[in-house]
Amino acid sequence: MYGWRARLGLMTASGIIAPESEYWLMAPEGVSCHFTKMPFTGGGTKDIIEELKTAEKFLDEAVTLVADARPSAIALVGTGASFCGGYGYDQQLIQKMRSRIGNLPATTGASSAIAALKKVGARKISLAMPYVEDVARVGRKFIEDNGIQVVNSKWLNHRDSFEIAQIPRETIYNLAKEVDDPESDAVFISCVALFVVEIIETLEHDLKKPVVTTNQAIMWNLLRMCNINEKIEGFGELLSKY
C-alpha cells in the first residue's frame, strides 16, 4: 500500500511537468505523492512577476483539493511563485495554506530552498536559474534577503514552464559548472520545472561541493516535517546526509 508512512500533498502549476517524475523518483518506501494543478504556464505576454503572483489566487482551491488525499504535509511546488513577492512572501503563503487545512505542516519551494541551503552550511552560493532576467533578479534578492550571499548567478532566459522542462541535462550541467565560484559553499539550481535531480550527484562529484535543487529541497523538507529522517542515496548530500 502506498502512503503508509506519509502522504505528500503537492500543488504545482499546470504547465510544469517535472515534479510528478522527480518526487516519485526520490520518495522512500511507504511515501506517496499526490498532485493538484493550478492554472499557470508562464508563457503569456503579461508582466512575468505579476503572472507568478497569480498562483496565490488559486491557492485556496488547490489546498482544498489536495486535502482530499488526507496528506501528512503539503507544499506549494513552485520557486518563483513563492519568492515573487519578495522577502517574507513565502511565509505569507505558508500561513495561507495552513489556515485552510488546519495547521498541517506546509512549505513552499522558496522556503525549502533557503532551509536546505542553510542545512548544508551554505553561507555563500552560486545560483543557476532557467528564468528570464526579471525573475532571476527577484530570486537572487530573495535569497540574499534571507541571509545567504550570492557570489555569482547566471540564467538562461526562459519563461515558459513546459519549455524549461525541455532543457537538456547537458545544458543544466554546463550552467552549474559555469556559475560555480571558488568562494561559494554550494550551488543552488532554482526552478521546479527543471528535470535535474538525476544529475545532482554527478555535479557534486565534479564541483566538490553540495548542489541543491528546488524539488530535492522540497522533498527533504516535507520528509523531515513528517518525521521521516531516512537517508536517501542518489540525489545529493542534502538527502543522503541531512
Side-chain angles (χ1 to χ4, degrees):
M1 182 180 73
Y2 291 108
W4 54 270
R5 292 172 79 189
R7 290 182 297 276
L8 308 182
L10 305 161
M11 297 160 287
T12 192
S14 54
I16 292 176
I17 63 173
E20 287 91 339
S21 299
E22 294 209 329
Y23 285 77
W24 277 108
L25 197 62
M26 293 183 284
E29 183 179 359
V31 175
S32 57
C33 305
H34 307 275
F35 288 87
T36 291
K37 292 287 191 175
M38 299 179 291
F40 175 78
T41 66
T45 57
K46 299 178 182 177
D47 180 293
I48 185 63
I49 299 299
E50 292 306 312
E51 196 172 353
L52 283 166
K53 290 179 182 178
T54 62
E56 184 176 1
K57 180 172 69 174
F58 301 108
L59 195 55
D60 282 349
E61 182 180 2
V63 171
T64 300
L65 289 172
V66 83
D68 289 342
R70 307 294 194 275
S72 311
I74 62 173
L76 172 59
V77 181
T79 326
S82 51
F83 69 52
C84 60
Y87 179 76
Y89 184 65
D90 59 319
Q91 298 304 314
Q92 293 176 32
L93 295 176
I94 288 171
Q95 290 306 313
K96 186 179 179 74
M97 289 188 284
R98 294 186 70 191
S99 67
R100 191 76 177 183
I101 203 169
N103 289 324
L104 199 71
T107 189
T108 72
S111 314
S112 294
I114 295 298
L117 289 167
K118 290 182 176 179
K119 190 66 177 181
V120 301
R123 290 180 292 180
K124 299 179 180 181
I125 67 163
S126 297
L127 175 60
M129 301 166 282
Y131 314 126
V132 293
E133 183 175 353
D134 287 352
V135 179
R137 293 196 181 282
V138 172
R140 176 172 179 147
K141 186 175 188 305
F142 177 88
I143 292 168
E144 292 184 326
D145 286 346
N146 275 276
I148 298 170
Q149 182 181 348
V150 179
V151 296
N152 195 20
S153 61
K154 289 182 179 292
W155 52 88
L156 296 175
N157 283 309
H158 292 279
R159 67 175 284 157
D160 182 85
S161 300
F162 190 84
E163 183 181 289
I164 289 171
Q166 311 310 310
I167 298 172
R169 290 177 183 173
E170 179 183 1
T171 301
I172 303 169
Y173 173 85
N174 288 333
L175 177 66
K177 288 192 72 175
E178 289 168 10
V179 79
D180 183 36
D181 187 284
E183 290 188 21
S184 69
D185 303 311
V187 173
F188 174 42
I189 303 174
S190 180
C191 191
V192 301
L194 288 168
F195 283 98
V196 65
V197 296
E198 290 181 279
I199 65 169
I200 292 174
E201 289 212 331
T202 300
L203 277 167
E204 288 187 338
H205 176 271
D206 294 352
L207 300 179
K208 304 296 189 290
K209 63 183 62 176
V211 173
V212 172
T213 76
T214 311
N215 285 329
Q216 171 216 42
I218 294 172
M219 175 59 83
W220 166 80
N221 204 10
L222 287 172
L223 291 175
R224 301 306 177 258
M225 286 178 171
C226 295
N227 295 314
I228 296 175
N229 297 306
E230 180 177 338
K231 303 301 186 285
I232 302 168
E233 300 293 335
F235 308 104
E237 288 186 18
L238 178 65
L239 283 168
S240 66
K241 293 186 178 180
Y242 302 98

